[in-house]
Amino acid sequence: MRAALLPLFAAAVLAISPPARADRLPVPAGAPPSFNAECGSCHMAFPPALLTAGDWSRVMARLDKHYGDNASLDGKTRRELEDFLARNAAADPRMAGQGDPPRLTASAWFQRKHRKVSESLWRDARVNSASNCSACHSRAEQGSYRGREISLPELREKH
Ligand code: HEC
Ligand code: HEC
């Protein structure tokens, strides 16, 4: 009888989510395999929590005109990914993107987190674009953005 209750107890403990950490932004477990395959082939698969649901539907509606590229998908995959992104999107209005299609690197949240990064550094040859997270965050692909993981020495020295 006791043993039968154990799995229930374990499930209850796991359901208590850890406090949100600003330096953790993983792609949620249970992402459809097409997410990494389709949205991680040209750039890192961006965590859905970086834009609002409305932003994601605007991104997904115009994959043929995707920031100067064509990222079109078949209808079934597109709907599957749009659902996944919307379900895991940010509710916080500070995460709202800017532009058409919206850029997550233009959100108020992103700008505030990166206020120490100078304009010229975004265009540095080692970086090229603010969307190139892994250029500075050595463990971005694993969803980790800790200060000590910053790979550009001039940025690391500042804190
Ligand atoms: C054919 C290549 C390609 C594919 C496939 C692709 N993208 Fe992109 N994506 C780009 C390019 C190029 C940019 C612009 C990068 C830049 O300007 O820094 C971009 C930028 C973005 C941005 C804006 C980043 C910023 O600057 O804030 C988002 C969001 C995004 N992509 C989401 C997606 C999603 C979701 C998928 C899958 C449905 C996807 N991408 C698939 C090429 C692609
Ligand atoms: C030019 C280098 C650079 C690029 C590119 C960059 N970042 Fe950052 N990022 C930083 C620096 C520097 C900080 C501040 C680190 C600190 O204060 O400890 C930071 C902070 C962060 C933080 C906050 C961590 C915390 O503890 O609060 C997150 C999350 C983050 N970046 C995500 C991203 C994402 C996602 C991308 C790509 C879309 C990106 N960054 C692109 C340099 C960069």
Side-chain angles (χ1 to χ4, degrees), residues 32-46 59-60 63 66 69-82 84-85:
S34 55
F35 183 57
N36 248 314
E38 305 293 352
C39 303
S41 57
C42 297
H43 46 68
M44 183 183 94
F46 298 119
V59 170
M60 297 306 284
L63 286 176
H66 185 75
D69 226 322
N70 186 344
S72 295
L73 293 172
D74 64 86
K76 184 169 172 280
T77 311
R78 198 195 60 74
R79 280 190 299 278
E80 174 184 53
L81 291 177
E82 185 170 344
F84 163 73
L85 289 162

Side-chain angles (χ1 to χ4, degrees), residues 22-23 104 110 113-114 116 122 130 133 136-137 145 147 150 159:
D23 58 8
L104 55 92
F110 190 94
K113 287 289 185 187
H114 295 90
K116 289 174 193 154
W122 291 125
C133 319
C136 301
H137 298 281
Y145 296 88
I150 299 272
H159 12 57

Side-chain angles (χ1 to χ4, degrees), residues 1-9:
M1 196 61 195
R2 282 262 166 86
L5 286 174
L6 258 177
L8 279 179
F9 176 72

Side-chain angles (χ1 to χ4, degrees), residues 21-25 44 46-47 50 104-105 109-110 112-118 121-124 127-137 140 143-148 150 152 155-156 158-159:
R21 272 179 53 182
D23 58 8
R24 286 284 309 157
L25 265 176
M44 183 183 94
F46 298 119
L50 286 174
L104 55 92
T105 51
W109 170 87
F110 190 94
R112 183 173 54 82
K113 287 289 185 187
H114 295 90
R115 60 186 182 272
K116 289 174 193 154
V117 181
S118 66
L121 206 50
W122 291 125
R123 290 186 302 271
D124 187 282
V127 180
N128 284 319
S129 168
S131 71
N132 190 7
C133 319
S134 314
C136 301
H137 298 281
S144 182
Y145 296 88
R146 297 164 96 163
R148 65 163 184 260
I150 299 272
L152 296 194
L155 285 172
R156 222 183 305 132
K158 284 188 183 166
H159 12 57

